[in-house]
Amino acid sequence: MSEARAPAGRLKPPARRRTIILSLAALLLGVPLIALALLLTYDWNRARPWLNARTSEAIGRPFTIAGALALTWERPAAAMAGRDRTWRDFIPWPHLVANDIHIGNPAAMGAGDMASARQFSFSLNPLALLEKRITIPVLRFDSPTVRLERRADGVHNWSFKQEDRQSPWKLDLERVVFTKGVVHLKDALEKADLTADVDTINADPAYGVGWKLGGTFNGAPVSGSGKAGAVLSLKQQNTPYPLQADLRMGATRIVLEGTLTKPTDLAALDLQLKLSGPSMARLYNLTGVLLPETPAYRTQGRLSGQLGQNGSHFTYDKFTGKVGASDIGGKLEYQSGKPRGRLSGSVVSHLLQFGDLAPLIGADSNASKAARGVAPVQPEGKVLPVETFRTERWTSVDADVRFAADHIRRERQLPINKLSTHLVLKDGVLTLAPLQFDMAGGTLNSTIRLDGSGRQGKAAIKASAKVTARHIHIKQLFPAIEALQASVGQVNGDAQLSATGNSVATLLAGANGEIKTLINQGTVSKLLLEEMGLNIGNVLLTKLFGDRQVRLNCMATDFGVTNGLMRTRTFVIDTDEAIITADGSVDLSREWLDLTLRPQTKSLRIFSLRAPLYLRGSFKHPDVSVDKGVLALKAGGALALAALAPAAALLPLVNTGPGQDSECGKLLALARVKPQAPPPGKSTPR
């Protein structure tokens, strides 16, 4: 039997299977090779419309690659870094180099570019495209130009938000590296027009780019320079971005160095901050936080902050510095919120120069005003400060700040040991409760309320003040005067005033209330009054007693104040040699004195005391004259006591002071006795 043969032209089954397997293998291998060949030889400029469209959808604004687009292939950087590899790490990523790139403004901002660059390059994860994600680990820009803009209505171009129609494509960008470029900020809300020129720094381990800044902010010139990191991490939330800056805005200087976390959202900052300038009030235009008028200052400390959707919180901690000749230190915190932010904290001064408080109420000189950047408005002939308070800013922030000074120094030595106050600003109403001075063994305690909310008229302040002085020892008040060291006298006083105005001068010009003072025992002299800086009293004393020490048994004053006019209700000075009474007025509006002093001698030794003294003239240039044509009244002693009848209102000061057994206590006790006229032909005994 012969073997069966296969039909002619037909393969045996094993050979056919081998042929099929080889064909499939060739096809499987050939398709990727052909695809790779096409990718390598493909003109990727044809892909620009697709890339432009997909990127525009992802970022919600126009994106255009207008120049040439080239493609190379490289392995992912993560695989080359040596970490555990997976099969994904062996798939090469396309690396694109694009020229002449433009990123447009969002639709709300109209046409125009927000950013452009001469060239940028990036590697693209091809597997992420299957999930409709454009994943770019590093985006490099060469010679970028960025134009950040915000209109007066608050609409701006720097937030990358999705359009209302959600795109299926998502952009996943991790880091940005940039070289020489320009950033321009134009902000209508902050009145800023700033330009920063950015350039690459070589061989700097901490910083990769340097920048120079110029322009204007709130009408003030701005200049400065600084450094920043070369790589801006957008993906790693906790990667700090280094910053360094030295800026000048007008006369204010800002020096900072530290880090910014998550720069795209300004999530957190940690900086060493130095500030200096002519007045802390000038920082309002920069920070929006209300600070007081001060002399020239400098301060340094740590500024940390957290920014979020529910508000921002900043802390200026462990700061130290100088304000004028005074030292300061402490901690301040600012919390943003609605309807306004809140400033809180505590500030301490170990040595406070008394004159450094003058700018708070505009009581400094015109030269000082010009130095701190305000108009020198004080008239030559005025004593009371006319500089107006900036009440339009009082509703910009709430505040709760405590201030304390361990020791206070002034040009003429005055033993004010401490100052403390609790400042609260709420809805435009400022209160100092209390404002307390510890001085000369006693206290000067005040409660001050200034309503600058605008409810009583534009730029007007409704003010009230209550002042109490207790147990201030005369010998401690002037420790440098040896003649006073044997004195045991005390000073007590009360004042309560209310007014409406916009400066110290206008507030006092419309003041209503009363002022009472009481001094028990002591010694008065021209030297003492020179130490106090009381030129008027100096002249009076010379007219009354000459230039020598005079023992003071009691001095009591009681003024009623109506619409800025102070009228005497009681004014009596009891010395070893005379009782001096006074009546008249002090016009706080006109800054004018009109007082008549009537001395009544206790002895025949001083005949000159029997003529009245007139104290008249302006606060700036008062005049003291003697009426030599008026003879002393024979019943001077009785009339002096008669004039003291209203002095009973001063008894509370005696009760809290030296007591009923003191000279003031005796004098006021006599004041409560109804005076009697002497019988005809009789003179009142002296």
Side-chain angles (χ1 to χ4, degrees):
M1 271 179 83
S2 59
E3 294 182 358
R5 295 181 178 273
R10 298 177 62 184
L11 296 176
K12 295 180 179 181
R16 185 170 63 245
R17 285 196 296 271
R18 285 195 299 271
T19 301
I20 294 172
I21 291 172
L22 290 174
S23 298
L24 290 174
L27 180 62
L28 292 174
L29 182 61
V31 169
L33 291 175
I34 293 171
L36 180 60
L38 289 174
L39 289 173
L40 293 174
T41 59
Y42 181 73
D43 183 5
W44 284 96
N45 288 298
R46 298 180 180 180
R48 286 184 299 175
W50 182 86
L51 286 174
N52 291 343
R54 301 291 79 76
T55 305
S56 297
E57 287 183 9
I59 65 177
R61 63 182 63 202
F63 174 86
T64 304
I65 301 174
L69 179 64
L71 177 70
T72 59
W73 293 83
E74 58 183 31
R75 292 177 61 185
M80 297 179 182
R83 67 164 176 78
D84 294 340
R85 300 180 182 181
T86 66
W87 64 271
R88 296 173 181 269
D89 296 326
F90 293 93
I91 298 177
W93 286 17
H95 181 73
L96 289 92
V97 178
N99 294 277
D100 194 12
I101 309 96
H102 300 265
I103 300 175
N105 285 317
M109 293 295 295
D113 288 347
M114 187 205 76
S116 61
R118 187 182 65 83
Q119 182 185 89
F120 78 75
S121 60
F122 63 92
S123 295
L124 188 66
N125 184 351
L127 298 177
L129 295 175
L130 301 176
E131 301 173 358
K132 293 188 176 181
R133 287 188 297 111
I134 301 176
T135 299
I136 301 174
V138 180
L139 181 61
R140 299 180 183 274
F141 285 96
D142 182 20
S143 301
T145 298
V146 180
R147 303 173 185 87
L148 305 176
E149 185 175 358
R150 180 164 60 177
R151 299 189 315 223
D153 58 5
V155 177
H156 59 269
N157 69 347
W158 55 73
S159 292
F160 283 80
K161 296 181 179 180
Q162 294 284 339
E163 300 292 338
D164 294 338
R165 181 180 62 84
Q166 293 293 323
S167 169
W169 289 88
K170 304 295 182 183
L171 177 65
D172 188 5
L173 178 61
E174 295 185 7
R175 294 187 299 164
V176 175
V177 179
F178 46 88
T179 59
K180 185 174 183 179
V182 177
V183 179
H184 182 206
L185 171 65
K186 191 171 184 179
D187 190 339
L189 283 181
E190 299 293 342
K191 299 179 182 178
D193 192 346
L194 303 169
T195 300
D197 295 315
V198 183
D199 204 352
T200 305
I201 299 176
N202 297 318
D204 190 318
Y207 302 98
V209 296
W211 50 269
K212 292 183 179 181
L213 184 68
T216 59
F217 186 86
N218 269 318
V222 175
S223 63
S225 61
K227 300 177 183 179
V231 178
L232 184 62
S233 177
L234 307 181
K235 188 70 173 177
Q236 299 177 5
Q237 302 292 326
N238 297 320
T239 300
Y241 184 66
L243 289 174
Q244 184 187 77
D246 187 345
L247 304 172
R248 290 185 181 273
M249 187 184 74
T252 300
R253 185 181 182 188
I254 305 164
V255 179
L256 59 87
E257 184 172 10
T259 59
L260 187 63
T261 303
K262 198 179 179 184
T264 52
D265 295 333
L266 297 177
L269 55 86
D270 190 348
L271 305 170
Q272 288 298 316
L273 177 65
K274 296 180 181 179
L275 296 169
S276 60
S279 172
M280 287 188 178
R282 303 292 85 76
L283 290 172
Y284 178 83
N285 292 334
L286 179 65
T287 64
V289 177
L290 178 66
L291 294 171
E293 288 285 355
T294 68
Y297 71 94
R298 66 179 187 276
T299 177
Q300 62 181 12
R302 180 190 178 194
L303 178 67
S304 57
Q306 298 289 333
L307 294 85
Q309 295 181 350
N310 296 326
S312 304
H313 182 266
F314 297 93
T315 301
Y316 193 34
D317 195 12
K318 297 179 180 178
F319 69 84
T320 59
K322 285 276 191 179
V323 177
S326 308
D327 67 88
I328 60 167
K331 177 181 179 180
L332 292 173
E333 298 182 65
Y334 177 77
Q335 176 68 56
S336 65
K338 299 294 184 180
R340 63 187 65 86
R342 183 174 184 269
L343 180 69
S344 61
S346 61
V347 180
V348 176
S349 175
H350 298 294
L351 180 59
L352 175 67
Q353 192 73 27
F354 198 78
D356 291 336
L357 298 176
L360 293 174
I361 58 173
D364 53 335
S365 66
N366 279 339
S368 173
K369 288 177 172 60
R372 60 183 170 90
V374 300
V377 294
Q378 189 68 25
E380 184 64 28
K382 294 278 287 185
V383 173
L384 300 177
V386 302
E387 182 181 330
T388 58
F389 296 108
R390 301 290 298 272
T391 54
E392 71 275 10
R393 297 177 175 178
W394 287 20
T395 55
S396 65
V397 67
D398 289 338
D400 188 331
V401 179
R402 295 183 182 273
F403 175 75
D406 295 335
H407 185 69
I408 299 177
R409 178 179 295 168
R410 55 174 293 177
E411 292 180 3
R412 299 182 183 273
Q413 291 298 320
L414 187 64
I416 302 178
N417 301 318
K418 292 182 179 180
L419 179 156
S420 63
T421 188
H422 183 195
L423 182 151
V424 176
L425 179 62
K426 179 69 175 177
D427 194 22
V429 179
L430 174 67
T431 58
L432 299 172
L435 172 59
Q436 181 172 307
F437 293 87
D438 292 351
M439 56 185 294
T443 60
L444 184 66
N445 204 349
S446 305
T447 298
I448 298 174
R449 185 178 188 272
L450 304 172
D451 185 349
S453 62
R455 288 186 284 267
Q456 51 279 335
K458 184 178 180 181
I461 298 173
K462 185 178 181 180
S464 64
K466 184 177 181 180
V467 184
T468 302
R470 291 292 183 268
H471 309 300
I472 297 176
H473 295 267
I474 295 176
K475 67 179 182 180
Q476 294 184 34
L477 203 59
F478 306 99
I481 303 178
E482 295 181 1
L484 289 181
Q485 297 313 297
S487 174
V488 293
Q490 293 185 12
V491 179
N492 294 278
D494 285 317
Q496 190 161 348
L497 298 170
S498 62
T500 300
N502 61 1
S503 67
V504 172
T506 57
L507 285 170
L508 290 177
N512 295 281
E514 57 182 5
I515 301 173
K516 303 176 183 181
T517 61
L518 190 72
I519 298 177
N520 178 71
Q521 297 183 351
T523 306
V524 65
S525 71
K526 182 178 179 180
L527 175 61
L528 183 150
L529 295 174
E530 286 178 348
E531 289 292 326
M532 295 174 66
L534 298 179
N535 295 327
I536 297 175
N538 191 350
V539 175
L540 282 173
L541 191 70
T542 303
K543 295 284 188 182
L544 288 169
F545 304 106
D547 185 9
R548 59 191 177 85
Q549 296 283 347
V550 177
R551 178 174 174 78
L552 178 68
N553 297 320
C554 178
M555 176 177 176
T557 66
D558 184 356
F559 284 90
V561 186
T562 304
N563 295 326
L565 186 64
M566 298 173 54
R567 291 189 179 276
T568 56
R569 296 191 296 213
T570 299
F571 193 119
V572 59
I573 302 173
D574 182 14
T575 73
D576 281 349
E577 299 177 343
I579 293 179
I580 305 166
T581 62
D583 60 76
S585 63
V586 178
D587 192 333
L588 298 175
S589 176
R590 297 170 53 221
E591 295 193 8
W592 191 261
L593 298 163
D594 189 2
L595 295 170
T596 301
L597 283 74
R598 296 182 174 86
Q600 305 297 330
T601 62
K602 295 180 178 179
S603 169
L604 295 177
R605 292 176 299 161
I606 309 177
F607 295 99
S608 62
L609 295 184
R610 303 179 68 82
L613 289 176
Y614 300 115
L615 175 56
R616 292 169 181 165
S618 67
F619 289 2
K620 190 79 171 180
H621 302 289
D623 178 66
V624 179
S625 60
V626 179
D627 189 344
K628 298 180 180 179
V630 179
L631 298 176
L633 296 176
K634 296 291 185 179
L639 290 177
L641 292 178
L644 294 179
L650 294 168
L651 284 177
L653 300 182
V654 177
N655 294 335
T656 58
Q660 295 289 344
D661 294 334
S662 69
E663 294 296 329
C664 277
K666 296 174 183 177
L667 183 64
L668 296 180
L670 289 174
R672 295 199 303 273
V673 178
K674 185 176 180 180
Q676 296 180 358
K682 297 285 187 179
S683 61
T684 302
R686 287 191 290 265

